[in-house]
Amino acid sequence: MATDIKDAVHTVHAFDAAAVMRLLPARPRLLALGEPTHGEDTLLDLRNELFQQLVEQEGYRTIAIESDCMMGLVVDDYVTSGTGTLDEVMEHGFSHGWGASAANRELVRWMRTHNEGRPASERLRFAGFDGPLEITAAASPRQALTALHDYLSTQVETGLLPCTAETLDRLLGADDRWTDPAAMLDPSQSVGQSADTGRLRLLADDLVALLDAQTPHLITTTSRDDLDRARLYGRTATGLLRYHHSMADTSPARMTRLCALRDLMMSHNLLAVAARGPALVHAGNSHLQREKSSMQMWQGRVEWWSAGALVSAQLGKEYAFVATALGTIRHQGVDTPPPNTLEGLLYELPDDRYVINAPQLTTALGNTLPTPRVSPWFGYAPFDPAHLANSDGIVFVRDVPRS
């Protein structure tokens, strides 16, 4: 089987941006690079290398990663205008522990250096596209909701606002009511379906409607960046309130709804990124694939449409998905892959990194797909060979050493 792939010269290429772009009929507006595990700088270094080449060779200007969209504004301010220090940005600009990554630090440092002295139209931009969510809890909608209200209160007549800032503050209450981790396992501990939260959902909807209704005025009185941020505040506030509502759900569909709502928030943020110009997107394979995502949870298997599937349905060929597959993560007990798996097949090739044309590989394999690999470690999700035909490409990394 490996010999067949090596003989198919149009299937396997050395890794670089040019090889990735040759997989595609045209430059996509969103080029999504997935990863099968988190926290490995080897994979993040590969992402950085690809982004730098896309900037230099293909005119890409934005990178979007699986991190809190609100916190990401701190990073964007730093790389575009030098606001704050690198240490502050790494501490406050990333969620999920990404700020501790040496590769993420190098990405931010390089973007800031690249932007020095360049006009705004040529500066690189950073975006987090995840919601302010963790698997254990969700953030209070306070930051997003009050930021949206503050923006509108300076731009439109007071009488058009659906409420005062004081009303929002009273309805929001203490932030720890929203972030209580007990609510993830016990819906009765969530405030998501309280009377105050119901009122907040209506007010958030009214504020977003006011923002949209005033767009012709706002584009003449504020900058495009300020308006885009106000829209981000609106998406985040309404998304969080919707998510908290489902946290209080007691039906069997509760976790399906929560997982779907997270990826829906991701997709809305990615579409906003796409509106700004071509971008590299980096996240887990399962968030970016065109198929449904799935996860085994305490109440059983949960399936939902991924952000990639949602965005692909909107953008069509302007969305491209390249998955990353890997051979070993020995420090996590992931050893040499079995030869009958896709990873085992690719592991027989001699070099460390490849770009594989997924549709052509599907053809080369014929009617028999490789056996799905089973991971001995919960933090690594092998590539599902059934997804080959619906992926644009695969980046294969032979061995991932300890970061």
Side-chain angles (χ1 to χ4, degrees), residues 55-360:
V55 168
E56 294 162 357
Q57 300 169 18
E58 299 290 339
Y60 278 63
R61 290 288 178 266
T62 300
I63 186 167
I65 75 166
E66 186 184 337
S67 185
D68 184 328
C69 57
M70 296 289 289
M71 298 177 77
L73 298 176
V74 174
V75 186
D76 192 52
D77 283 341
Y78 176 77
V79 300
T80 56
S81 59
T83 303
T85 69
L86 182 56
D87 286 343
E88 291 169 346
V89 168
M90 300 314 295
E91 181 178 357
H92 301 294
F94 293 86
S95 61
H96 304 85
W98 297 136
S101 162
N104 281 336
R105 186 182 184 91
E106 174 56 23
L107 171 68
V108 175
R109 186 208 61 78
W110 179 80
M111 291 177 71
R112 177 64 199 141
T113 300
H114 181 280
N115 284 343
E116 287 279 6
R118 293 180 184 268
S121 61
E122 297 179 11
R123 291 176 197 157
L124 305 181
R125 304 293 301 270
F126 178 94
F129 72 91
D130 201 354
L133 308 169
E134 297 284 354
I135 191 62
T136 55
S140 163
R142 175 182 298 279
Q143 181 186 5
L145 199 52
T146 56
L148 175 59
H149 189 278
D150 289 347
Y151 171 81
L152 287 169
S153 66
T154 64
Q155 301 299 326
V156 304
E157 297 175 16
T158 302
L160 294 176
L161 294 168
C163 66
T164 64
E166 290 74 21
T167 296
L168 287 182
D169 184 63
R170 176 178 58 79
L171 293 171
L172 285 161
D175 285 347
D176 58 9
R177 298 189 315 140
W178 300 91
T179 57
D180 183 359
M184 180 51 71
L185 294 176
D186 182 0
S188 69
Q189 300 301 306
S190 171
V191 299
Q193 294 188 18
S194 69
D196 284 353
T197 303
R199 176 68 176 147
L200 282 169
R201 290 188 74 186
L202 291 173
L203 291 174
D205 185 68
D206 285 345
L207 286 167
V208 171
L210 178 60
L211 180 71
D212 290 342
Q214 291 292 315
T215 296
H217 166 67
L218 296 172
I219 59 176
T220 65
T221 61
T222 65
S223 69
R224 168 68 185 271
D225 282 350
D226 286 345
L227 182 54
D228 283 348
R229 286 198 175 193
R231 289 171 173 157
L232 171 61
Y233 300 148
R235 292 193 303 273
T236 305
T238 55
L240 278 174
L241 287 164
R242 194 178 296 122
Y243 190 90
H244 280 287
H245 180 86
S246 289
M247 286 188 77
D249 181 18
T250 58
S251 79
R254 177 176 182 264
M255 288 311 303
T256 299
R257 286 196 180 96
L258 289 175
C259 292
L261 287 173
R262 181 188 178 194
D263 272 68
L264 182 63
M265 290 180 72
M266 287 183 170
S267 72
H268 291 163
N269 286 331
L270 286 178
L271 289 170
V273 167
R276 201 159 62 193
L280 176 67
V281 180
H282 190 251
N285 284 329
S286 64
H287 288 303
L288 300 178
Q289 66 194 26
R290 290 187 175 95
E291 293 81 6
K292 276 188 171 181
S293 298
S294 64
M295 184 182 297
Q296 192 69 27
M297 307 195 80
W298 54 87
Q299 84 285 7
R301 183 179 174 85
V302 175
E303 294 186 352
W304 69 96
W305 286 110
S306 70
L310 296 170
V311 171
S312 182
Q314 291 285 327
L315 295 184
K317 292 182 179 180
E318 290 196 292
Y319 179 79
F321 170 58
V322 177
T324 299
L326 54 83
T328 72
I329 323 173
R330 298 192 192 279
H331 56 281
Q332 298 290 4
V334 180
D335 294 320
T336 303
N340 63 337
T341 64
L342 177 68
E343 290 86 354
L345 185 75
L346 298 173
Y347 198 78
E348 294 301 315
L349 297 170
D351 292 331
D352 293 331
R353 306 187 308 179
Y354 292 97
V355 176
I356 298 106
N357 186 307
Q360 289 181 4

